[in-house]
Amino acid sequence: PCRAARYVATRVFSARGAPTADANAGSLASILAKDSPVSLVAPVRVTFVVRSAPDCRRSFSAQGCQKGADRPKIAESPEAFTNLDRLLAQCKRDPAFVCVGHDFGARGLRADIAAALRADVLVGTHGAGLNNALFMRSGAALVEVRPYGFEGSWPDQYLKTQLGVEERVHFYQVSTGDTRLMTPPPPRNATGWVARNGRSVRLPWRTLREVLGAVLSVNGSMDRYRALPSHRWVSTLPHSEYRTSHR
C-alpha cells in the first residue's frame, strides 16, 4: 500500500499544470524522488489528524453522514481529540517537538500529501484520516489512538496490518483505558462499533509524550523498532490525574 501511495504522490507532484498551492513543492518532489529514510532531528514535527464534522447537507456519502426521512443529518460528534488545543499548547513547551494540526480532506489531495511527507509523526484517532500515513517517508511513525473498548482483530486489520506489509512506517498504538476520556462516555462493557461511533477521545499529553520518547529512541530504524518491548500504550485518568500504563 505504501508503494502505491508513493506512486500517486509522485504523479500528483509531477503533473503538468497542477496547481502550486505549496511554495516547497519542489523540495517535496525531491523527497519523493530520493526516498530517504527519516532521521529525527529536533524539533521533530508531529502532525495531528484533525477530523472536522462533514457537511452532510452537501454530500450523502461523506463519512459520518446518515440519510434521514426528510434530509441528511449533520454528524453530531466527529471521531476527534477533545483536547487538541491543550495538546498543541503542551507540545509547544517541549523543545524536542513542533506540533501542528492538519484537517485532511479540507484543502485537497496535494496539500494532504505535503502534510504527510513533512510529518515525522502522525497522530490521530482510528478512522479513514489515518490512511494518509501511507504517504509518509520511510521510518516515520503513525500513532493510532483507539477509543475505549475498540480493540481486537477488527481495528487491527486496517493500518496496523497494512503498515506491517512493507514495514516502511512504524505503527504505535494508544488504547484508551478509561471511559472518562471519551465524550460521550460509553458503557464500561462497550466493544466494537458501540465503543467508537460518534465519540471523541481525550488524549493525555503524558501518554503521548511517552510514545514520542519511544519514537525518538527508534529514530527511524526498523531494527530498533522491532526491538521495543511493546508498541502499545494504555491511557487512563484515575482520581482526575493523568497516568499511563505501558503494556
Side-chain angles (χ1 to χ4, degrees):
C2 290
R3 183 178 301 177
R6 291 190 65 81
Y7 173 79
V8 172
T10 302
R11 297 283 292 181
V12 167
F13 281 98
S14 63
R16 292 184 179 181
T20 306
D22 193 317
N24 298 316
S27 61
L28 293 172
S30 177
I31 291 175
L32 284 168
K34 293 179 180 178
D35 194 19
S36 300
V38 167
S39 179
L40 299 181
V41 179
V44 172
R45 187 176 182 87
V46 180
T47 299
F48 289 89
V49 178
V50 178
R51 301 290 302 280
S52 296
D55 186 350
C56 300
R57 294 168 296 185
R58 296 184 178 182
S59 174
F60 288 106
S61 61
Q63 185 178 5
C65 294
Q66 295 177 346
K67 187 176 180 180
D70 301 321
R71 60 183 177 84
K73 298 179 181 179
I74 297 177
E76 297 177 354
S77 178
E79 292 82 0
F81 295 119
T82 59
N83 63 328
L84 178 59
D85 289 343
R86 182 174 180 180
L87 287 170
L88 293 173
Q90 290 172 306
C91 175
K92 192 174 182 180
R93 295 194 291 268
D94 193 324
F97 306 98
V98 57
C99 295
V100 298
H102 183 83
D103 193 346
F104 286 91
R107 293 189 294 144
L109 181 59
R110 189 183 182 89
D112 292 346
I113 294 174
L117 283 172
R118 288 197 191 95
D120 298 311
V121 185
L122 191 65
V123 183
T125 60
H126 179 91
L130 298 189
N131 286 322
N132 292 280
L134 298 175
F135 294 114
M136 299 179 80
R137 292 166 291 156
S138 177
L142 170 67
V143 180
E144 177 183 318
V145 181
R146 294 187 180 177
Y148 176 90
F150 193 64
E151 304 289 339
S153 59
W154 180 9
D156 282 354
Q157 69 181 308
Y158 296 102
L159 269 297
K160 184 175 184 179
T161 299
Q162 292 174 27
L163 294 179
V165 172
E166 294 165 283
E167 296 189 324
R168 283 181 53 89
V169 178
H170 301 164
F171 179 89
Y172 298 83
Q173 179 181 326
V174 175
S175 297
T176 302
D178 195 310
T179 59
R180 291 171 290 178
L181 290 170
M182 302 292 299
T183 304
R188 291 192 176 275
N189 62 346
T191 59
W193 190 249
V194 174
R196 174 183 181 269
N197 190 30
R199 306 183 194 279
S200 300
V201 182
R202 184 180 181 185
L203 174 62
W205 167 250
R206 181 176 177 181
T207 303
L208 179 58
R209 185 60 180 83
E210 289 187 15
V211 180
L212 294 177
V215 173
L216 286 174
S217 69
V218 168
N219 194 21
S221 167
M222 180 54 69
D223 289 339
R224 285 193 288 269
Y225 173 75
R226 291 170 178 163
L228 288 176
S230 176
H231 304 120
R232 177 176 179 259
W233 282 254
V234 178
S235 62
T236 59
L237 183 59
H239 308 297
S240 299
E241 294 180 0
Y242 291 131
R243 188 177 68 188
T244 305
S245 62
H246 185 190
R247 298 180 181 176

